[in-house]
């Protein structure tokens, strides 16, 4: 039986109320900034996995398109016993490995760029989903619930606008659907993941990302090696995904093991010492939710009353210890203040205080997410308020650390020259 999660509600009931609210409150349209014409749309697709599949059925007369409004369909769907006892899940895809693709092998939502023939951003998400995984979001058992905050995707520190990304939320109300058909050129695999796994602190992790990749066109082997030597790598929060159901594209080149199998001498002579290290694990099949997709998913999770916003947030930093310490020190007061603001604007705390709450306004940048005080605030000012202030302090910390490194290197070089001259003079 589904556990009581928040305010006496099961996870499915809590999800139903959240989707009702999301359907009632739509996020505003974000126009393209000057010099940026590209728009893209993604589909956040939710379903409820029944505890007893034989009892789950989709009744068109109960929650089909002919029932009435979207609100009525949502009420009818979540009123069913099998839904209330079920486990909510969300669909992710792992993009195919493609050379030169900024999002190669990333965990993502189905979707892609808007074509000239698309009527609007919503039509683009429906078309891209059909092309990538073969799911028809126009079907009677699929309901377009609403949207999340549209965001301007930019480079990390370069702030060059790349595109406007529009996330749309869909609910799949039928369990016995046709199997997914993956487009091999774009999708490596598809995975249904429980909301319980997305909110489990035990699965939170950090992902290493190249500093050079944050600057758009400055990426390359030489630049990557240089920035890695000087700055290390960017540490960004991620979540290890534990799927309940997966579909793989059987034409993917990295589906099966290839190349020499490496084992140590000890593990080959004494298998009992290997502790499973002899088993083949393909790094390309690791499922880590991070970056832009984690930001979109966090946008949705923060709306759930039971979600603690502070657990979803981790400030980006650098892997070198001296940078980490200086960034931590110079941003301490700022981070403390902003995390208090995030907690105070949590929908759960608003409900407990008897305040009206709506979907929080969240980050529209590439690799992180945040919540502002009000949904009606302008997204650009929210970026400047949260991440802009943090990055300004982080860049100052990096600059000061570089000066300290140069100073320490200069002192070390001066000491070395002095020692060399002293030894030479002693020999003479």
């Amino acid at each position: 039986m589904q556990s009581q999660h928040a305010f006496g509600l099961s996870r499915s009931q809590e999800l139903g109320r959240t989707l009702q609210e999301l359907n009632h409150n739509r996020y505003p349209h974000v126009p393209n900034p000057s010099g940026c014409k590209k728009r893209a749309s993604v589909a956040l697709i939710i379903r409820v996995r029944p505890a007893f599949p034989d009892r789950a059925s989709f009744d068109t007369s109960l929650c089909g398109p002919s029932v009435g409004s979207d609100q009525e369909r949502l009420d009818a769907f979540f009123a069913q016993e099998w839904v209330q006892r079920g486990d909510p899940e969300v669909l992710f895809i792992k993009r195919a490995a493609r050379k030169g693709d900024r999002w190669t092998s990333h965990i993502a939502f189905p979707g892609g760029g808007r074509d000239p023939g698309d009527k609007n951003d919503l039509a683009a998400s429906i078309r891209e989903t059909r092309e990538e995984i073969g799911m028809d979001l126009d079907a009677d058992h699929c309901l377009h619930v609403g949207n999340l905050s549209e965001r301007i995707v930019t480079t990390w520190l370069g702030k060059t606008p790349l595109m406007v990304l529009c996330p749309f939320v869909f609910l799949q109300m039928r369990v016995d659907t046709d199997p997914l058909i993956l487009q091999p050129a774009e999708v490596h695999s598809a995975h249904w993941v429980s909301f319980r796994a997305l909110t489990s602190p035990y699965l939170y992790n950090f992902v290493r990302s190249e500093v050079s990749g944050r600057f758009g066109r400055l990426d390359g082997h030489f630049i990557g090696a240089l920035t890695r030597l000087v700055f290390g790598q960017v540490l960004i929060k991620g979540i290890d995904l534990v799927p309940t159901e997966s579909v793989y594209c059987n034409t993917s080149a990295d589906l099966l093991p290839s190349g020499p199998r490496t084992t140590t001498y000890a593990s080959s002579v004494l298998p009992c010492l290997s502790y499973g290290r002899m088993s083949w694990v393909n790094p390309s099949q690791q499922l880590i939710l991070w970056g832009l997709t984690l930001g979109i998913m966090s946008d949705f999770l923060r709306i759930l009353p039971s979600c603690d916003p502070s657990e979803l947030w981790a400030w980006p930093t650098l892997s070198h210890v001296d940078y980490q310490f200086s960034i931590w020190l110079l941003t301490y007061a700022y981070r403390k203040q902003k995390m208090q603001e995030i907690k105070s604007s949590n929908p759960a705390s608003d409900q407990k205080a008897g305040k009206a709450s709506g979907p929080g306004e969240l980050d529209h940048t590439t690799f992180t997410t945040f919540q502002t005080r009000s949904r009606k605030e302008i997204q650009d000012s929210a970026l400047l308020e949260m991440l802009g202030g943090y990055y300004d302090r982080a860049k100052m910390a990096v600059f000061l650390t570089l000066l300290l490194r140069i100073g320490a290197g200069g002192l070390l070089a001066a000491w070395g020259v002095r020692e060399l001259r002293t030894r030479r003079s002693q020999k003479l």
Side-chain angles (χ1 to χ4, degrees):
M1 181 175 180
Q2 186 69 236
S3 62
Q4 298 301 304
H5 196 46
F7 311 118
L9 301 177
S10 69
R11 288 186 176 87
S12 294
Q13 290 173 319
E14 183 187 60
L15 173 64
R17 292 194 177 186
T18 301
L19 294 182
Q20 288 276 13
E21 190 172 298
L22 197 63
N23 181 262
H24 183 71
N25 300 298
R26 301 297 176 103
Y27 283 90
H29 172 77
V30 174
N32 285 69
S34 59
C36 177
K37 298 181 179 180
K38 185 175 180 180
R39 299 184 69 86
S41 302
V42 296
L44 194 160
I45 306 170
I46 299 171
R47 76 175 184 183
V48 178
R49 176 181 288 272
F52 303 98
D54 57 322
R55 302 180 185 178
S57 62
F58 174 71
D59 189 348
T60 306
S61 62
L62 184 63
C63 47
S66 60
V67 170
S69 66
D70 293 344
Q71 297 274 336
E72 292 173 332
R73 296 182 66 186
L74 287 170
D75 284 337
F77 177 74
F78 284 98
Q80 300 176 92
E81 184 180 2
W82 74 267
V83 176
Q84 295 179 4
R85 294 174 177 267
D87 189 23
E89 299 177 334
V90 62
L91 179 64
F92 296 97
I93 64 171
K94 184 177 179 66
R95 297 211 166 272
R98 295 190 296 182
K99 188 176 182 180
D101 184 5
R102 177 182 292 272
W103 320 112
T104 180
S105 298
H106 281 201
I107 296 295
F109 294 113
R114 177 175 172 177
D115 289 346
D118 293 324
K119 182 180 179 180
N120 49 36
D121 295 321
L122 174 61
S125 68
I126 295 175
R127 176 187 54 80
E128 284 286 343
T129 300
R130 185 184 298 111
E131 293 176 356
E132 290 185 346
I133 62 175
M135 180 182 292
D136 185 11
L137 296 177
D138 278 328
D140 291 346
H141 61 269
C142 291
L143 174 63
H144 169 227
V145 177
N147 69 330
L148 296 173
S149 174
E150 298 182 2
R151 61 203 66 204
I152 301 173
V153 179
T154 68
T155 54
W156 186 53
L157 292 180
K159 300 293 179 64
T160 303
L162 302 175
M163 63 179 173
V164 176
L165 182 62
C166 309
F168 295 93
V169 180
F170 296 86
L171 175 64
Q172 179 179 285
M173 297 182 287
R174 185 172 180 173
V175 179
D176 54 337
T177 57
D178 295 332
L180 300 178
I181 303 176
L182 308 185
Q183 217 288 337
E186 299 187 46
V187 181
H188 171 273
S189 54
H191 309 273
W192 288 101
V193 179
S194 170
F195 275 75
R196 291 182 292 112
L198 296 174
T199 56
S200 172
Y202 298 101
L203 297 177
Y204 292 168
N205 202 344
F206 275 90
V207 177
R208 291 176 176 264
S209 179
E210 296 298 333
V211 176
S212 59
R214 312 302 102 188
F215 295 93
R217 298 183 180 90
L218 296 181
D219 197 7
H221 293 293
F222 175 76
I223 297 296
L226 181 63
T227 55
R228 196 180 306 115
L229 177 65
V230 177
F231 301 104
Q233 295 174 303
V234 183
L235 297 181
I236 306 171
K237 182 176 180 179
I239 300 177
D240 294 325
L241 297 184
V242 181
T244 58
E245 181 181 338
S246 298
V247 178
Y248 291 87
C249 183
N250 58 4
T251 59
S252 298
D254 55 358
L255 179 63
L256 298 175
S258 60
R261 180 172 176 171
T262 58
T263 57
T264 62
Y265 174 78
S267 64
S268 61
V269 176
L270 299 174
C272 61
L273 299 180
S274 64
Y275 297 100
R277 284 174 293 182
M278 292 180 64
S279 61
W280 181 83
V281 177
N282 190 345
S284 67
Q285 292 186 355
Q286 293 179 340
L287 304 176
I288 303 178
L289 176 64
W290 68 287
L292 180 59
T293 307
L294 176 57
I296 298 173
M297 193 66 233
S298 298
D299 288 6
F300 184 85
L301 292 176
R302 288 176 190 271
I303 308 173
L304 297 175
S306 62
C307 182
D308 183 0
S310 61
E311 294 184 357
L312 296 174
W313 175 259
W315 299 88
T317 187
L318 295 176
S319 58
H320 286 179
V321 178
D322 52 350
Y323 287 123
Q324 283 188 29
F325 177 76
S326 60
I327 292 175
W328 175 85
L329 186 64
L330 267 67
T331 62
Y332 177 79
Y334 182 82
R335 289 182 288 108
K336 185 177 180 180
Q337 174 190 348
K338 293 305 175 183
M339 292 310 295
Q340 290 176 347
E341 292 180 4
I342 287 179
K343 288 184 178 181
S344 64
S345 62
N346 185 20
S349 61
D350 290 341
Q351 289 191 14
K352 290 178 182 179
K355 300 178 182 178
S357 63
E361 185 69 55
L362 297 163
D363 175 25
H364 58 272
T365 57
T366 32
F367 305 110
T368 44
T369 180
F370 64 92
Q371 182 167 1
T372 62
R373 293 183 297 272
S374 171
R375 167 179 182 172
K376 300 301 182 181
E377 292 183 4
I378 301 175
Q379 293 184 351
D380 289 339
S381 65
L383 171 62
L384 294 175
E385 178 187 0
M386 188 77 172
L387 281 180
Y390 175 77
Y391 282 141
D392 289 341
R393 291 164 175 79
K395 285 187 286 186
M396 178 60 68
V398 171
F399 177 73
L400 292 177
T401 305
L402 280 175
L403 289 182
L404 289 175
R405 282 187 172 188
I406 294 173
L411 290 175
L412 184 61
W415 176 82
V417 171
R418 181 180 177 181
E419 285 292 315
L420 183 61
R421 289 178 177 177
T422 301
R423 292 181 180 181
R424 285 184 177 179
S425 62
Q426 290 177 349
K427 289 182 180 180
L428 295 176

